[in-house]
Amino acid sequence: GICLLAAATGAGLIVATDINDYRLQAAKRFGADETLAAGQDVPVLFEKINNGRKADLVIVCASETSAFEQAMKAVARGGTILLFAPTNPEITIPVSINDLFWKRDVTMTTTYAGSPADCATALELIQRKRLNLTDMITHSFGLENVTEGFRLVAESSESLKVIIRPQE
């Protein structure tokens, strides 16, 4: 969904990373210019793709420690890291305050929900058909199959958006 939104709102180079090939293929379909397997040296590969420059914005959507570490290495001076996924509560990740904040002036922020203005913008993009969210729905279930829906989401192997329709 993030690639789709970035493309619809005029982002420059969009590069997605994931450990799952299905999701990497989906990222290409929904706006990513390039994809990288998360097990690779993503910061180095990103710089090669981006003419030697680091990323202006890195959005971390995975709870894996390596995703946070890659984000800190991939972000450019003056860039932003948006943390969209938390780690497990017992996890700590070392951060070089001097390098990340003083030397490179990186902004690190979190989000998990949109403001009313963000929601209004999203609804307008959907209404104007700038975001085709229907294509992202890979599975739909009635309440009697809710367990199967949750299983697909937990495995996330070949699903993107799983919808539960109580009325079915």
Side-chain angles (χ1 to χ4, degrees):
I2 291 174
C3 292
L4 185 63
L5 180 60
T9 55
L13 176 67
I14 302 168
V15 179
T17 67
D18 204 295
I19 59 171
N20 180 304
D21 286 335
Y22 177 82
R23 289 186 179 274
L24 289 174
Q25 291 170 15
K28 286 285 264 191
R29 284 195 324 271
F30 294 110
D33 298 302
E34 300 284 343
T35 59
L36 299 170
Q40 299 175 310
D41 192 342
V42 170
V44 168
L45 293 172
F46 178 83
E47 281 188 62
K48 287 181 182 176
I49 294 168
N50 199 32
N51 299 316
R53 296 188 322 265
K54 293 182 181 284
D56 294 324
L57 172 63
V58 179
I59 303 173
V60 181
C61 299
S63 296
E64 296 299 318
T65 303
S66 60
F68 295 94
E69 292 167 344
Q70 287 180 353
M72 290 185 282
K73 291 177 184 173
V75 69
R77 185 171 196 272
T80 299
I81 300 172
L82 172 62
L83 305 176
F84 194 73
T87 63
N88 290 327
E90 68 277 0
I91 299 294
T92 58
I93 299 171
V95 174
S96 171
I97 301 297
N98 199 39
D99 175 58
L100 201 63
F101 301 114
W102 289 104
K103 183 178 174 187
R104 293 197 287 146
D105 195 28
V106 169
T107 298
M108 190 177 291
T109 189
T110 63
T111 188
Y112 197 72
S115 68
D118 291 336
C119 291
T121 300
L123 289 172
E124 184 176 341
L125 287 168
I126 293 165
Q127 182 181 26
R128 293 179 184 266
K129 304 213 184 306
R130 301 258 169 89
L131 299 175
N132 184 356
L133 302 179
T134 304
D135 290 346
M136 296 183 79
I137 300 170
T138 55
H139 298 81
S140 179
F141 299 100
L143 279 179
E144 70 279 356
N145 294 318
V146 72
T147 305
E148 176 66 7
F150 280 109
R151 184 190 64 75
L152 282 169
V153 170
E155 288 177 0
S156 72
S157 59
E158 291 199 12
S159 66
L160 295 177
K161 301 297 178 193
V162 177
I163 303 298
I164 304 300
R165 299 185 187 272
Q167 68 277 19
E168 289 181 12

